Amino acid sequence: MITVLSGGTGTPKLLRGLRRRLPDRDLAVVVNTGEDCWVSGGQLSPDVDTVLYLCAGLLNEQTWWGIAGDTFACHEALRSLGEEEVVRIGDRDRAVHLLRGELLRRGLTLTAATELIAERLRVEVRVLPMADQPYATHVLTDDGRFHFQEWWVRHRGGILPRGIAWEPPAPPPATPEVLSALQEADAVVIGPSNPVTSIGPILACSGVREALRDAFVIAVSPFIGDTPVSGPAGALMTARGFEPTSRGVLSLYADFCDVFIQDVRDPVGVPGAVRADTLMTDPARSEGLAEIVLELAGPGAGRLRS
Ligand code: GDP
C-alpha cells in the first residue's frame, strides 16, 4: 500500500498518475484540512474535496477545485441577496459541503463524514483528513490576520505575507486512521504540494513526524529554481523564514525523507536528489512521474497494474 500526503493541486496531479498504476484500494491519502471553513452553512474542505472528486471522476482538472461542468445558480442567488461568499461554490459541490456540514452537526467526526461521502461517491481510495479537530491556517500581514481562504481567494494572495499562524495555536493529534495508514504503508509519498500550507499542517499533527521517521518516504519538490510551479508557496516559504527553493523544501523534510525528487530543469542542485520530469501537465505525464515514484518505492509498494 502507498500512503500519500496531499494538498489540493500538486499532489492530486501525482495521485492521478498513481491511480493509473495501482488499484484504488492500495492507495490511502492523508489530506490537509488547514484550509477548511464554514461557508453558508456548509463545510468546505477544499483539499479533501479535490481528492474525493478526482477519485470519483468528477474533478474540474482545469482549476483543480470543484466539479467539472458545475453550475453556480445558488452562489449567484446568494449574491443577489447581498451575501458575498468568500469562495465561488458550484451547486453540486455545495451539496457535498451541505452534507458534510450536516454530518458534522449530527456528531460525526470529519473522518467518519469523509468516509461516508467517499462511499456515496463510490471512491475506493482511502481518503483521510489529517485530524478531526480544526487547525486553521492564517496568514499574518501588515493589514491584519486572515484565514488562508480570505487571503488567497478574496485578496488573491496580493497582500504580502509576514508570517503564518494556526488557530488554535497547538496542533491537533493526527487521527488513529492516519497513523495506521502511515505505519502500514510500503512507502509514503509526499507529492509536490505547498510545504507551508498543505504539507506543513499535516506534519504538525502530533504523531505524524514520528511515524514518518519509521516509514520509507519519497518527496517531490513543487519548486523549479526559486519559483513554485503555481500558487503562493514562494512567498509563504519566505514568510516562514525558509529558502523558497527545492533546497528549502528538503530542509523541512530532512528528518524523515529517504528519497527527494526534483525537476530535471531545476537549477538549484540538491545533493543526492533524484532528477525527473515533474511537470504533470496531462494525465500521461502524471503517470510517468508516478511510475518513477513507484520504482523508487520498490517491489513491495503495492501491486502494479499490468
Ligand atoms: P493547494 O492546496 O491548492 O495549495 O495545492 P497543493 O499545496 O497541493 O499544491 C500547490 C503546489 O503544487 C504549488 O506549490 C505548485 O508549485 C505545485 N505544483 C502544481 N503543479 C505541479 C506540477 O505539475 N509539478 C510540480 N513539481 N509541482 C506542481
Side-chain angles (χ1 to χ4, degrees), residues 176-226:
E177 290 84 353
V178 164
L179 295 180
S180 303
L182 296 176
Q183 283 151 7
E184 289 162 15
D186 299 303
V188 175
V189 176
I190 302 183
S193 280
N194 187 321
V196 175
T197 53
S198 294
I199 304 301
I202 302 176
L203 298 179
C205 292
S206 50
V208 170
R209 270 191 188 268
E210 292 77 359
L212 288 176
R213 285 188 202 118
D214 291 337
F216 184 72
V217 181
I218 301 171
V220 182
S221 177
F223 278 88
I224 299 179
D226 60 4

Side-chain angles (χ1 to χ4, degrees), residues 87-166:
V87 187
R88 195 164 169 263
I89 295 170
D91 296 322
R92 293 172 67 201
D93 191 14
R94 185 185 305 277
V96 171
H97 303 164
L98 290 174
L99 173 59
R100 180 183 293 115
E102 189 51 32
L103 294 171
L104 294 176
R105 280 189 290 269
R106 280 183 211 161
L108 267 72
T109 61
L110 183 60
T111 301
T114 305
E115 191 183 348
L116 200 131
I117 295 168
E119 202 181 298
R120 292 188 181 171
L121 291 172
R122 296 191 175 77
V123 168
E124 288 189 14
V125 169
R126 208 145 31 109
V127 182
L128 302 170
M130 66 188 196
D132 282 328
Q133 288 81 30
Y135 189 53
T137 302
H138 288 199
V139 180
L140 311 178
T141 76
D142 290 342
D143 293 350
R145 175 179 176 137
F146 299 96
H147 186 285
F148 182 82
Q149 295 288 353
E150 285 271 334
W151 177 76
W152 180 237
V153 184
R154 196 190 293 280
H155 297 290
R156 298 171 196 277
I159 309 174
L160 185 69
R162 297 285 188 192
I164 317 289
W166 279 271

Side-chain angles (χ1 to χ4, degrees), residues 7-11 13 47 192-194 198 221-222 228-230 233 278-280:
T9 307
T11 304
K13 289 184 188 175
D47 294 354
S193 280
N194 187 321
S198 294
S221 177
V229 174
S230 62
T278 72
L279 278 181
M280 297 172 282

Side-chain angles (χ1 to χ4, degrees), residues 5-14 16 32 35 46-47 50 63-65 148 152 191-199 220-224 227-234 236 261-263 265 276-282 285-286 289:
L5 306 193
S6 186
T9 307
T11 304
K13 289 184 188 175
L14 180 58
R16 169 173 72 178
N32 169 47
E35 294 163 29
D47 294 354
T50 292
T63 56
W64 291 86
W65 60 266
F148 182 82
W152 180 237
S193 280
N194 187 321
V196 175
T197 53
S198 294
I199 304 301
V220 182
S221 177
F223 278 88
I224 299 179
T227 316
V229 174
S230 62
L236 295 172
I261 302 177
Q262 62 175 150
D263 196 87
R265 306 160 191 84
D277 184 351
T278 72
L279 278 181
M280 297 172 282
T281 45
D282 58 43
R285 281 164 173 266
S286 292
L289 182 58

